[in-house]
Amino acid sequence: MASQVVLIVLYGDGQSGRESRGVCSSQIGILLALRQNTTAGRGKRGNHRGFDDGASDVSSNQDYIGPRLYKQPAARSNRSIILNAVEYCVFPGVVNREAKQRVLEEITRSESKNFLVLFRDGGLTFRALYSFNPEKEEIIKMYGTGPKMVNDTMFEKFFKYNSGGKCFSQVHTKHLTVTIDAFTIHAGLWQGKKQSLPNKKDMTLVI
């Protein structure tokens, strides 16, 4: 607690010998200045101890509303790749023109983003066109000869199409991904059901 300064000046009137108390104007100014400085200093010390501009509250409570730094990538589509493959590689020659046109129409009408070509074997002979839904892991036949649906246990080989070289190359993997453009299935799946001959015991003898 700062002390107040009181300045008392004693002076005599020179005649009556009495002493009077008084404060001159210059001394009053000094007194007021001292008191103001003392009060200001006490206020600064108090503010320093309890200083809080609220900046930390604003930064912690206010949500960031600026542009997102991360953008989720769009789903990959091989539509253009399969169109290129069908046009220049899958159906060579004039004899396959009708089949090629049919497959191109199926792809154009479909809303699917991913397609797969089924080959008969390593010779890459076309058998069927499938739509592929990566999220549901559904492979459904759209056109051609082959199983109506394909699951993971049926795959034998996988292939990827090179648009520049206009050819397919084998991909050595065990599972289907969105980077695959064609596949083959196990040879046993192509074998038709054997027709069983009737039992001779059940045959009626005709004379």
Side-chain angles (χ1 to χ4, degrees):
M1 179 176 179
S3 59
Q4 296 182 353
V5 179
V6 179
L7 183 62
I8 300 175
V9 179
L10 301 177
Y11 63 93
D13 57 4
Q15 294 179 356
S16 59
R18 293 178 299 175
E19 293 182 350
S20 301
R21 294 183 180 181
V23 181
C24 66
S25 60
S26 61
Q27 292 167 341
I28 292 175
I30 295 174
L31 175 61
L32 294 176
L34 289 174
R35 295 186 64 181
Q36 289 176 357
N37 291 337
T38 302
T39 304
R42 183 170 64 252
K44 289 182 180 181
R45 288 192 298 271
N47 292 338
H48 179 72
R49 289 193 299 269
F51 177 76
D52 184 6
D53 62 355
S56 58
D57 294 338
V58 173
S59 61
S60 60
N61 295 332
Q62 186 175 6
D63 295 334
Y64 175 71
I65 58 176
R68 292 185 177 182
L69 301 180
Y70 172 76
K71 182 178 179 180
Q72 187 169 355
R76 181 185 184 277
S77 172
N78 71 341
R79 175 185 290 266
S80 60
I81 295 176
I82 295 299
L83 286 172
N84 187 292
V86 171
E87 181 71 31
Y88 299 105
C89 180
V90 176
F91 296 100
V94 181
V95 294
N96 294 315
R97 181 179 298 175
E98 184 177 350
K100 177 173 68 175
Q101 189 62 32
R102 177 65 184 278
V103 172
L104 292 174
E105 291 175 358
E106 291 289 342
I107 296 174
T108 303
R109 287 198 300 262
S110 176
E111 296 181 355
S112 178
K113 295 183 178 181
N114 293 274
F115 302 89
L116 293 169
V117 174
L118 170 63
F119 291 131
R120 175 65 178 84
D121 48 29
L124 306 184
T125 303
F126 175 85
R127 280 295 177 264
L129 173 71
Y130 288 80
S131 64
F132 173 39
N133 188 328
E135 295 180 355
K136 297 182 180 180
E137 297 183 352
E138 291 181 347
I139 306 169
I140 302 175
K141 186 176 70 174
M142 298 173 60
Y143 170 80
T145 303
K148 292 182 179 181
M149 298 184 68
V150 179
N151 57 53
D152 193 57
T153 62
M154 302 169 69
F155 293 119
E156 181 183 28
K157 296 179 181 179
F158 297 99
F159 300 87
K160 182 177 178 62
Y161 182 70
N162 185 338
S163 300
K166 293 181 172 55
C167 63
F168 284 90
S169 58
Q170 184 176 351
V171 178
H172 297 282
T173 181
K174 295 182 179 180
H175 302 285
L176 177 66
T177 65
V178 293
T179 61
I180 300 299
D181 302 313
F183 66 96
T184 61
I185 58 177
H186 295 292
L189 298 174
W190 290 109
Q191 297 175 0
K193 295 182 180 180
K194 295 182 180 180
Q195 296 182 354
S196 58
L197 296 175
N199 194 334
K200 293 182 179 180
K201 296 181 180 180
D202 298 333
M203 295 179 65
T204 303
L205 180 62
V206 178
I207 300 176

